Amino acid sequence: MSTPGTREATVPTAAALALGDDALILSHRLGEWAGSAPVLEEEVALANIALDLLGQARVLLSLAGDEDELAYLREERSFRNAQLVEQPNGDFAHTIARQLYFSTYQRLLYGQLATGDGPFAGLAAKAVKEIAYHQDHAEHWTLRLGDGTPESHERMQRACDALWRYTGELFQPVDGLDLDHAAMESAWLDSVTAVLDKATLTVPTGPRTGAWAAGAGRQGLHTESFGRMLAEMQHLHRSHPGATW
Amino acid sequence: MVTMTALEEELSRIAGAVLDPEMPVLTLEELGVMRGVHVTGPGRVEVSLTPTYTGCPAIEAMSSDIERALHEHGVPDVSVVTVLAPAWSTDDISEEGRRKLAEFGIAPPRPQGPAGGPVPLTLAIRCPHCGSTDTELLSRFSSTACKALRRCTACREPFDHFKEL
């Protein structure tokens, strides 16, 4: 498939990789639910969200180089995704908390990118409409689980707490993205706080930035489970180079 | 140049008459995904197509169907390029397209207007089987990225709704 007409001579490669890797890795994680989601409707929903993300990843990685080479032949240290998206699916609550944090961020980010006339504007204007459905999906589940049974409440709280430390990285400046990260972060906090409050959940108090926060994925440092995920994702292409359907 | 334009119009009609691979009652023209047909040289045509969703896998089937249709019409060199901007919207589906969707058993998307605000998922959506507006949402995601799954509370039939984008 060819790349969109928005290709320009000066595509900021670092930014295309950062955003493309976020979309690719989260897409793969969500795809892992195929065959094991709690209900059929959720399996379909998560696969659909994964497909949207994969579409974004293809456009972004094609701006940075050859999409297949970038996805299947890079080593772990060359991936530039934020650590949040590589976190294992965990239980369903963990997946939903990851979706809530990421889709809220991505909608704000793409909303800003869509208003400019940079190399990502065309994709962002299109993708932001898809992301609105992802965020809506995550918020609905956060409400159902948080304000559900004592068991679902406890698990949703645990998931929100566990992933909180990965959210600061999302607002670190990325080379080539001239955005107001501070404004985006404060809008993100407002939005997530409102959903957690409504879901009777407590906004986590752990560190999002500083020494005890996580996150150096944009610099190529990843968490333990990422290597295993990559091995599975890249295995077919590396074992059978050039394989096609 | 006048003959070129006439040729482009003719080729555009042929490419636009290709059926959507997922909903084979709807043409690509009616779906609103055709963005242009340009004759770039003798026997050489470039078709611009926009995906409904960024990751829609049907775009590849659409591209090869367009290539085949134009080959059969005697154009040896056809290239199909994907354009993302301006973004496709369900408002790009024609009136005829909406009518065909409903006939096919898929509730058509509601008009959205220019603003890209929150999606009003709670407004009444008509059951394509019995016509009742008494329907409920089962899942925001269904058989393809562009559809949501609903159920009619009058006739109890589940149905797909082409969700607004």
Side-chain angles (χ1 to χ4, degrees):
Chain A
M1 199 202 294
S2 55
T3 42
T6 49
R7 183 199 279 270
E8 287 176 11
T10 52
V11 172
T13 305
L17 280 182
L19 305 189
D21 286 349
D22 278 355
L24 175 69
I25 300 307
L26 185 56
S27 163
H28 191 84
R29 278 293 187 214
L30 291 173
E32 290 174 354
W33 276 108
S36 59
V39 289
L40 184 61
E41 285 79 2
E42 272 318 293
E43 185 154 318
V44 171
L46 295 172
N48 266 309
I49 294 171
L51 187 61
D52 287 345
L53 289 164
L54 189 62
Q56 298 163 18
R58 292 189 62 180
V59 173
L60 288 161
L61 294 183
S62 295
L63 287 171
D66 179 89
E67 54 175 335
D68 284 344
E69 269 180 35
L70 288 170
Y72 296 123
L73 298 176
R74 267 183 303 163
E75 302 291 333
E76 181 178 332
R77 286 284 179 113
S78 305
F79 277 83
R80 291 291 179 267
N81 56 284
Q83 289 182 352
L84 174 68
V85 297
E86 75 201 35
Q87 294 311 304
N89 286 337
D91 60 10
F92 189 66
H94 269 80
T95 291
I96 292 303
R98 195 181 59 199
Q99 282 305 108
L100 177 71
Y101 293 166
F102 185 76
S103 63
T104 304
Y105 150 76
Q106 204 192 18
R107 191 173 176 185
L108 290 164
L109 172 73
Y110 281 37
Q112 278 206 32
L113 290 174
T115 59
D117 56 357
F120 304 121
L123 169 70
K126 181 159 188 60
V128 76
K129 301 198 290 177
E130 301 163 4
I131 298 162
Y133 279 102
H134 305 176
Q135 189 184 8
D136 186 62
H137 172 260
E139 289 186 358
H140 271 83
W141 272 110
T142 303
L143 297 182
R144 282 176 74 175
L145 295 175
D147 198 11
T149 66
E151 169 81 10
S152 74
H153 176 89
E154 190 202 322
R155 286 190 177 201
M156 194 62 216
Q157 185 66 57
R158 198 190 303 155
C160 289
D161 291 346
L163 293 172
W164 190 247
R165 57 197 289 266
Y166 296 100
T167 59
E169 184 184 11
L170 300 174
F171 305 98
Q172 297 299 310
V174 174
D175 256 0
L177 290 188
D178 186 20
L179 299 171
D180 188 347
H181 286 89
M184 225 160 49
E185 182 160 23
S186 111
W188 182 89
L189 274 171
D190 288 349
S191 174
V192 168
T193 299
V195 176
L196 295 184
D197 280 348
K198 201 170 161 198
T200 72
L201 294 161
T202 308
V203 178
T205 50
R208 295 180 54 248
T209 55
W212 294 102
R218 297 271 190 248
Q219 287 78 48
L221 297 179
H222 296 282
T223 52
E224 188 183 344
S225 61
F226 186 54
R228 290 195 293 276
M229 196 214 90
L230 266 194
E232 187 175 282
M233 188 178 95
Q234 298 185 332
H235 151 74
L236 187 87
H237 191 87
R238 286 178 184 266
S239 303
H240 305 279
T244 54
W245 287 106
Chain B
M1 290 310 284
V2 174
T3 50
M4 289 289 272
T5 308
L7 176 61
E8 283 174 348
E9 272 175 19
E10 183 191 347
L11 296 176
S12 183
R13 245 191 331 271
I14 291 161
V18 167
L19 296 176
D20 178 273
E22 294 280 352
M23 297 165 289
V25 289
L26 210 60
T27 69
L28 299 187
E29 186 61 43
E30 289 161 350
L31 185 59
V33 296
M34 294 287 300
R35 284 289 165 83
V37 172
H38 300 288
V39 175
T40 52
R44 194 177 329 134
V45 172
E46 185 180 280
V47 180
S48 316
L49 200 61
T50 194
T52 54
Y53 281 68
T54 317
C56 181
I59 195 102
E60 292 178 12
M62 289 177 189
S63 300
S64 57
D65 288 350
I66 288 175
E67 282 170 21
R68 192 178 319 122
L70 293 181
H71 285 325
E72 281 169 9
H73 194 70
V75 183
D77 189 353
V78 181
S79 63
V80 181
V81 296
T82 306
V83 292
L84 294 184
W88 180 85
S89 149
T90 40
D91 286 351
D92 295 339
I93 302 177
S94 70
E95 276 309 314
E96 178 66 1
R98 284 161 200 271
R99 193 189 60 74
K100 286 182 176 177
L101 276 176
E103 213 167 68
F104 191 54
I106 299 171
R110 291 157 296 178
Q112 290 205 100
V119 182
L121 285 162
T122 46
L123 291 182
I125 293 164
R126 195 173 289 278
C127 168
H129 305 300
C130 75
S132 167
T133 52
D134 204 1
T135 65
E136 62 186 2
L137 180 70
L138 293 180
S139 173
R140 276 168 187 74
F141 299 89
S142 187
S143 54
T144 63
C146 52
K147 293 182 221 125
L149 185 64
R150 298 186 72 87
R151 175 169 52 204
C152 175
T153 45
C155 74
R156 309 302 297 168
E157 284 289 325
F159 65 91
D160 270 337
H161 166 227
F162 205 120
K163 67 191 178 200
E164 293 75 21
L165 187 76

